[in-house]
Amino acid sequence: MEFKDYYAVMGLEPTASLKEIKTAYRRLARKYHPDVSSEADAESKFKEVAEAYEVLKDTERRAEYDELRLHRNDPGFGQHQFGQRQATGDQQWHSRAGGGAHDYSDFFESFFGHRASSAQHSSHRASYGVRGQDLEMELPLFLEETLAEQTRSISYKIPTIDESGFPGAETSKTLKVKIPAGVGDGERIRLKGQGAPGIAGGANGDLFLIIRIAPHPLFDIDGQNLQIVVPLAPWEAALGASVEVPTLTGKIALTIPAGSQSGQRLRIKGKGLVSKKGTGDLYAILKVVMPPKPDEKTRALWQKLSEQAAFNPRTGWE
């Protein structure tokens, strides 16, 4: 009896994960499904794929199959199991896809057919319906919009199948969706059943919204915290000052301590991003900015300050 290499049928390695097996089945089922495929041998290939999937998706069956595969070149391979099948009789399962009886291969019937229950029968018939394709779309948000739940209206295109079973024109769909507070860049939101329609009674696919946070002209993101660069005049850094600093919810007064340095970070609690862990903080990064090229009077004042301060910032080099 000919050994069936189900991994080769599915185009997979023997180490493939269950997720990879399911993905391969969906792809091949769409390709060879008799309702949509124009290939001459689509029905036979579809049955091969369905048979391979029937075995590989089940943990116990796959383990048994892997053991058989390991000994496929042994003398007398399959004789005992094949005899069992002849004694119990051939089993036929019906497929909605083909419209009639679906005959599994002798290999399947010999090793797995005698274990099929009525529940497995129903499950197998249902598996011929191909699940619809998952769709993705990006949803841009401003940082300010992540602080609270948002209701957004989205429109997207859905692929369709025409009356002949072939891909038809895309159709537009509009939904109102709720975007939870605290979403981050790259986060995926699943809308179940809002993807492409299934084939032959299969379930609809899902729609995944991929959040894209628009760059902000003032704030940088650091986890759930924000950072903002606060420019200071030299005298503000030296003498201390109160300056207005923007946040995502409005301006606040920030006290700058006397003798502040460039690069110093001041924490503004609770003015960061919202997340499941709570609200982050805003960090003001101080940056001393020199005024434009001084005139003669200003230059004289700088010179006088230099002489009185007698300050050398490079003493550490000595």
Side-chain angles (χ1 to χ4, degrees):
M1 177 176 52
E2 180 186 359
F3 176 81
K4 287 281 187 178
D5 191 339
Y6 290 143
Y7 292 110
V9 170
M10 301 284 283
L12 297 169
E13 294 293 331
T15 55
S17 65
L18 180 58
K19 181 178 180 181
E20 290 172 326
I21 291 171
K22 289 182 177 180
T23 300
Y25 171 70
R26 289 172 185 168
R27 174 176 55 81
L28 294 172
R30 289 192 188 101
K31 181 177 180 180
Y32 296 122
H33 199 289
D35 290 349
V36 296
S37 180
S38 59
E39 299 192 28
D41 57 349
E43 185 172 354
S44 63
K45 287 187 176 180
F46 183 80
K47 289 179 180 180
E48 286 184 353
V49 170
E51 180 177 313
Y53 180 63
E54 187 67 29
V55 173
L56 298 183
K57 73 176 182 178
D58 184 88
T59 304
E60 292 184 6
R61 279 185 176 177
R62 185 180 180 185
E64 184 178 344
Y65 172 75
D66 287 343
E67 183 69 18
L68 292 171
R69 189 173 184 274
L70 185 64
H71 299 285
R72 63 187 181 277
N73 295 322
D74 292 354
F77 170 80
Q79 290 180 358
H80 175 64
Q81 290 82 356
F82 189 76
Q84 281 185 332
R85 185 185 71 83
Q86 294 293 346
T88 57
D90 292 345
Q91 286 184 309
Q92 291 185 329
W93 289 1
H94 294 272
S95 163
R96 292 185 300 176
H102 178 86
D103 295 321
Y104 282 89
S105 68
D106 286 344
F107 176 83
F108 179 92
E109 296 289 0
S110 297
F111 294 107
F112 305 105
H114 64 284
R115 294 172 47 204
S117 66
S118 59
Q120 290 170 327
H121 180 181
S122 300
S123 174
H124 184 79
R125 290 183 58 183
S127 73
Y128 279 97
V130 181
R131 184 178 180 275
Q133 178 184 358
D134 290 337
L135 304 178
E136 292 184 350
M137 68 172 293
E138 293 190 348
L139 183 65
L141 292 177
F142 293 114
L143 274 179
E144 290 84 351
E145 293 177 309
T146 68
L147 298 181
E149 183 181 274
Q150 302 288 324
T151 299
R152 298 285 292 270
S153 179
I154 62 170
S155 296
Y156 59 103
K157 300 288 187 180
I158 296 180
T160 61
I161 303 296
D162 63 21
E163 295 179 356
S164 302
F166 293 96
E170 291 184 328
T171 182
S172 297
K173 188 170 185 177
T174 300
L175 294 175
K176 281 190 175 181
V177 298
K178 289 185 177 181
I179 311 300
V183 292
D185 188 64
E187 188 169 336
R188 292 160 61 90
I189 298 175
R190 178 189 178 201
L191 302 178
K192 187 176 181 180
Q194 299 299 334
I199 300 173
N204 289 354
D206 300 330
L207 173 65
F208 289 89
L209 300 181
I210 303 175
I211 301 299
R212 294 298 180 207
I213 304 299
H216 198 282
L218 296 178
F219 302 105
D220 290 326
I221 301 174
D222 181 17
Q224 67 182 105
N225 298 323
L226 295 176
Q227 297 178 349
I228 184 172
V229 175
V230 180
L232 297 176
W235 45 89
E236 290 176 324
L239 303 176
S242 178
V243 299
E244 277 195 341
V245 175
T247 72
L248 291 179
T249 56
K251 293 182 178 181
I252 62 168
L254 177 65
T255 298
I256 307 299
S260 293
Q261 303 288 332
S262 274
Q264 188 173 337
R265 290 159 55 96
L266 301 180
R267 178 187 176 206
I268 306 171
K269 188 176 180 180
K271 292 298 182 179
L273 298 176
V274 173
S275 74
K276 294 179 181 179
K277 299 178 180 179
T279 304
D281 301 325
L282 172 63
Y283 285 88
I285 302 175
L286 306 184
K287 180 181 179 180
V288 177
V289 180
M290 293 296 297
K293 186 176 180 180
D295 54 24
E296 288 300 322
K297 185 176 180 181
T298 305
R299 182 182 177 84
L301 291 174
W302 280 115
Q303 183 65 38
K304 185 176 181 181
L305 174 62
S306 170
E307 294 170 356
Q308 289 185 356
F311 173 64
N312 181 4
R314 295 171 295 280
T315 52
W317 289 3
E318 301 175 356

